[in-house]
């Protein structure tokens, strides 16, 4: 009979060997793969913890046992049902973009993705969480590397435009806000909820790809994307179109204050207006280089005539306005109930025209003066008018923007 110490050593040796095999097979001997990735930390279908995917390009999650019920990936990512048009709604936080995005989100032939770049700023930059990919190395945040953020944003936008979610930075696929705001992500969410964990997330990607490739139009609402970067997608894919949505900076900056976003005026006003003005100027040569593919719009025009300009947005994307969409736009924007118009991040604006100008009733005049002095170039480009007295500010019949046909930059007419 073997000595108890010998048996114990034998058991320990076997355990160590099995551990080494597990690490080599599933983790690729890369300790960084064990980092907490802030994905779904619940257990998988069979009770196992989420397992990081190997960085090997040939690796695929297990599909035996409980995972076999998941949709399976194929090696060929090409599709004969590539959407006809791919729309990037480029805009800024608190610019009326939620209402504008809903015009696409509610259309039955559109695959809509809500703010996929959100997690770059809030997870990767601010929270310092590493960026995780299924088939690539983890990317850790390096504040000295000026290319990381651009690469991540390019990866996300390109992946959605090509319905290629296998190679996409994964955090946008786990963002609860995207599920809440994107109608076409609901089947993917239901699949993911039924199969939690990293393997479940990967296994449900065919559901997302099917929703994407079967749509006539891909549309996404993005903030934090400069026009100069959007130009790369216009050059790379003839199906890509850009809608550039702007709003009166007095409304934007005033709207940001109740949400807890700190601001130092007039410095913040100048920075914001210079950023938007640069995007507008960058769009001018793009309209010449890509005729019919770049459209500049003002939220005030959409709010003033929601049905006409919603139809114009859909026409730009080569979509019709079905009767149900007509009723939806009317119900969403034309009610006399204005009690909820001041809710922060409210989606349904019960009188879009009143909401667009509601800032004039409460904003302080010295704030308006600061913005007027800081944003002259943006005003001249987009057709906004200064309000140089308290009486003019409060007089709702006093215009604060020019007719879109009179603005120096082409608005609504591509």
């Amino acid at each position: 009979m073997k000595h108890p110490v010998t048996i114990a050593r034998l058991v320990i040796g076997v355990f160590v060997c099995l551990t080494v095999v597990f690490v080599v097979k599933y983790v690729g001997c890369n300790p960084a793969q064990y980092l907490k990735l802030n994905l779904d930390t619940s257990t998988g279908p069979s009770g196992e913890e989420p397992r990081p995917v190997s960085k090997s390009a040939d690796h695929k999650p297990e599909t035996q046992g409980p995972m076999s019920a998941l949709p399976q990936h194929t090696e060929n990512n090409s599709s004969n049902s590539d959407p006809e048009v791919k729309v990037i709604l480029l805009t800024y936080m608190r610019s009326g973009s939620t209402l504008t995005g809903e015009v696409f989100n509610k259309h039955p032939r559109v695959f809509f993705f809500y703010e996929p770049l959100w997690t770059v700023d809030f997870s990767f930059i601010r929270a310092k969480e590493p960026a995780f990919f299924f088939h690539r190395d983890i990317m850790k945040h390096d504040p000295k590397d000026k290319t990381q953020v651009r690469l991540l944003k390019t990866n996300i936008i390109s992946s959605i435009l090509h319905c290629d979610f296998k190679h996409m930075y994964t955090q946008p696929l786990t963002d609860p806000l995207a599920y809440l705001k994107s109608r076409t992500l609901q089947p993917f969410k239901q699949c993911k909820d039924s199969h939690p964990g990293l393997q479940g997330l990967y296994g449900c990607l065919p559901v997302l790809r099917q929703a994407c490739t079967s749509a006539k139009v891909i549309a996404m609402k993005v903030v934090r994307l400069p026009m100069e970067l959007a130009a790369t997608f216009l050059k790379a894919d003839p199906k890509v179109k850009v809608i550039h949505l702007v709003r009166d900076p007095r409304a934007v900056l005033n709207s940001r204050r109740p949400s807890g976003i700190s601001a130092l005026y007039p410095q913040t006003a100048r920075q914001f207006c210079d950023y938007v003005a640069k995007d507008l100027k960058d769009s001018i040569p793009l309209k010449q280089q890509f005729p019919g593919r770049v459209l500049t719009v003002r939220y005030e025009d959409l709010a003033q005539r929601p049905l006409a300009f919603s139809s114009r947005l859909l026409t730009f994307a080569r979509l019709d306005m079905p009767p149900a969409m007509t009723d939806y736009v009317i119900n969403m924007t034309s009610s006399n109930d204005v009690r909820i118009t001041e809710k922060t991040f409210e989606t349904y604006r019960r009188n879009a025209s009143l909401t667009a100008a509601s800032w004039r009733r409460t904003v302080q005049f010295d704030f308006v003066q600061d913005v007027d002095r800081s944003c002259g170039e943006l005003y001249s480009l987009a057709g906004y008018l200064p309000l140089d007295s308290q009486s003019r500010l409060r007089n709702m019949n006093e215009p604060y923007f020019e007719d879109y046909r009179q603005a120096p930059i082409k608005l609504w007419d591509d």
Side-chain angles (χ1 to χ4, degrees), residues 399-413:
Y400 64 101
F401 59 92
E402 296 178 318
D403 184 276
Y404 72 94
R405 289 162 291 196
Q406 306 301 320
I409 197 169
K410 272 191 173 183
L411 295 170
W412 291 98
D413 183 8

Side-chain angles (χ1 to χ4, degrees), residues 226-343:
M227 183 64 69
E228 63 178 355
L229 185 52
T232 62
F233 303 109
L234 288 166
K235 296 173 184 176
D237 190 341
K239 294 183 177 182
V240 171
K241 294 188 173 189
V242 173
I243 296 175
H244 184 201
L245 174 68
V246 299
R247 187 183 183 185
D248 190 308
R250 293 163 294 196
V252 173
L253 295 168
N254 182 62
S255 182
R256 289 182 178 187
R257 294 194 292 183
S259 63
I261 300 173
S262 61
L264 297 174
Y265 298 96
Q267 293 90 336
T268 298
R270 185 175 297 110
Q271 291 173 358
F272 173 73
C273 289
D274 287 350
Y275 185 91
V276 178
K278 183 180 186 305
D279 281 345
L280 285 170
K281 290 184 291 186
D282 287 345
S283 73
I284 295 173
L286 293 178
K287 291 180 179 181
Q288 299 172 347
Q289 185 178 358
F290 305 105
R293 294 175 57 196
V294 180
L295 181 66
T296 307
V297 304
R298 287 186 313 201
Y299 173 67
E300 288 78 14
D301 299 311
L302 177 65
Q304 192 174 62
R305 298 170 58 196
L307 199 58
F309 285 111
S310 294
S311 178
R312 178 69 189 87
L313 290 173
L314 294 177
T315 299
F316 178 72
R318 293 167 58 183
L319 292 166
D320 59 355
M321 174 78 88
M325 280 292 299
T326 300
D327 294 340
Y328 172 78
V329 172
I330 292 174
N331 292 334
M332 184 172 64
T333 61
S334 301
S335 170
N336 290 324
D337 181 5
V338 297
R339 291 174 296 173
I340 65 171
T341 58
E342 295 303 321
K343 279 191 176 181

Side-chain angles (χ1 to χ4, degrees), residues 63-72 191 195 203-204:
T63 56
Q64 300 300 317
M67 301 302 294
S68 61
L70 288 170
Q72 301 303 309
C191 178
H195 304 87
C204 290

Side-chain angles (χ1 to χ4, degrees), residues 25-160:
K25 181 176 181 180
Y26 293 113
V27 186
C29 296
N30 184 359
Q33 296 288 350
Y34 282 116
L35 288 171
K36 183 175 178 61
L37 300 174
N38 196 36
L39 294 175
D40 192 333
T41 57
S42 60
T43 57
S46 61
E48 75 275 16
E49 290 295 325
R51 183 190 300 120
V53 179
S54 167
K55 65 182 180 181
S56 168
D58 297 326
H59 175 82
K60 291 187 287 290
E62 295 178 12
T63 56
Q64 300 300 317
M67 301 302 294
S68 61
L70 288 170
Q72 301 303 309
H73 288 287
T74 59
E75 293 302 317
N76 185 6
N77 275 334
S78 64
S79 173
N80 295 326
S81 56
D82 192 39
E84 297 178 13
V85 180
K86 306 171 183 183
V87 176
I88 300 174
L89 175 58
L90 186 156
T91 187
Y92 317 93
M93 187 173 64
R94 309 303 289 154
S95 293
S97 57
T98 299
L99 172 62
T100 310
E102 284 296 287
V103 174
F104 292 101
N105 187 34
K106 297 297 183 182
H107 198 285
R109 304 197 67 186
V110 175
F111 175 84
F112 182 76
F113 210 117
Y114 180 89
E115 292 199 17
L117 302 185
W118 170 277
T119 54
V120 177
D121 277 9
F122 286 85
S123 296
F124 184 71
I125 298 177
R126 298 190 187 185
K128 303 289 191 295
E129 296 173 1
F132 181 76
F133 303 84
F134 289 112
H135 296 305
R136 291 172 53 184
D137 287 334
I138 290 171
M139 180 189 292
K140 295 181 182 179
H141 181 257
D142 181 0
K144 297 180 181 179
D145 188 343
K146 303 302 182 183
T147 66
Q148 282 187 326
V149 171
R150 185 182 180 95
L151 287 172
L152 277 181
K153 291 183 177 182
T154 301
N155 167 267
I156 293 169
I157 301 298
S158 180
S159 295
I160 296 173

